[in-house]
Amino acid sequence: MQRVVRLMALVVCVLLTACTTSQTALSPTVDEPDARLLNLADAYRIDGRYDQARRILASLQAAHPESKAVQLQTAALLAAQGDLQAAEAMYVKLVPGDLDASLSYARLLQAANRPAECVASLTDAVNSVLYERRDDALVLRARCFMQLVQFEAAQTDLETALRIQPQHIDARVQQIRVIAFTGQFDLAEIKMSELARDRRLSRPELDRLQTEITGIRGRFEILGAGFGT
């Protein structure tokens, strides 16, 4: 229901802006598509309304065939619909020199259980200290390091991400997982309590994390450190 409300709010915002803005302001430049339409396409994709997203992106692609922003959105739509091969082909073309493309491509690789490739694709993003989404790139690389059973590297990335953005919710969640994977269950429980007080995670999400930590503890007791994910 909340997703529907957010989507409707965005649609209304776009329509109201269209009614109150001059024609000159509404006309995107030759090189840049209308950001409001890109945001609307993104909202449709997130909401699973792929036909609507596709129609907007097709129109923008026709008007701005060289736009990286449109191509990124199109690749994300292809991935959401399960056409991973086509999405990957688009990302590979965009990645050189485009950190947002690198991050999006890395997400696809991580979801496809290709963590080593994910780590490699994030090198530029995590090393670019002025990149505004560097914290997200660090957290994603930490997740891949955990898949590769490289917990020390994962912890280093998470600590860096939390120095950049101390309230990064996913960084805090992944840090709890790393702490558990290294057998520090008392510390993991303390961090869980702190996270519960934050209230940005829902009760079901907290319960799932707690269940995972309990499962890790059980496997750790049987197999010892380094048992993997």
Side-chain angles (χ1 to χ4, degrees):
M1 182 64 182
Q2 290 181 339
R3 290 197 309 173
V4 174
V5 171
R6 288 197 299 269
L7 180 62
M8 291 303 299
L10 181 55
V11 172
V12 170
C13 180
V14 170
L15 293 175
L16 287 175
T17 306
C19 292
T20 59
T21 308
S22 70
Q23 184 62 43
T24 301
L26 278 174
S27 300
T29 66
V30 173
D31 297 321
E32 296 297 330
D34 193 321
R36 293 163 300 174
L37 291 176
L38 278 174
N39 290 337
L40 185 57
D42 190 41
Y44 279 140
R45 174 182 59 80
I46 292 170
D47 200 50
R49 300 170 68 174
Y50 300 141
D51 287 342
Q52 291 94 324
R54 189 184 306 109
R55 283 196 289 270
I56 293 173
L57 291 173
S59 175
L60 292 175
Q61 178 69 32
H64 308 278
E66 302 301 320
S67 170
K68 285 189 175 182
V70 174
Q71 292 175 62
L72 273 175
Q73 288 269 20
T74 303
L77 178 61
L78 289 168
Q81 294 176 110
D83 195 347
L84 301 184
Q85 186 174 2
E88 181 171 2
M90 291 193 71
Y91 282 134
V92 168
K93 291 180 180 179
L94 290 167
V95 161
D98 192 309
L99 298 180
D100 285 338
S102 296
L103 182 56
S104 296
Y105 181 38
R107 287 197 178 107
L108 183 148
L109 293 171
Q110 196 266 341
N113 197 30
R114 295 159 62 182
E117 294 172 78
C118 176
V119 167
S121 71
L122 286 167
T123 300
D124 289 342
V126 299
N127 289 338
S128 299
V129 295
L130 297 181
Y131 179 40
E132 62 181 4
R133 301 173 69 188
R134 185 181 179 223
D135 53 346
D136 293 331
L138 284 159
V139 174
L140 180 57
R141 191 170 72 168
R143 292 170 67 102
C144 293
F145 278 138
M146 281 190 277
Q147 287 180 270
L148 295 167
V149 199
Q150 297 179 26
F151 300 128
E152 185 175 349
Q155 180 63 24
T156 298
D157 274 359
L158 292 170
E159 289 172 353
T160 303
L162 287 168
R163 283 197 295 271
I164 297 170
Q165 177 50 266
Q167 299 306 314
H168 196 296
I169 194 68
D170 193 32
R172 295 174 68 188
V173 168
Q174 301 311 319
Q175 187 178 56
I176 291 170
R177 296 180 70 234
V178 169
I179 291 169
F181 278 127
T182 54
Q184 304 172 76
F185 296 106
D186 290 343
L187 180 57
E189 291 299 333
I190 292 171
K191 295 289 187 182
M192 277 289 300
S193 297
E194 294 173 352
L195 192 62
R197 290 194 296 270
D198 187 281
R199 299 186 182 279
R200 281 185 293 166
L201 281 186
S202 67
R203 174 49 58 182
E205 290 172 315
L206 285 167
D207 289 344
R208 282 194 294 272
L209 181 57
Q210 183 64 69
T211 298
E212 182 182 5
I213 301 308
T214 301
I216 293 171
R217 182 193 289 268
R219 284 178 285 165
F220 195 95
E221 291 173 350
I222 295 170
L223 301 173
F227 60 87
T229 61

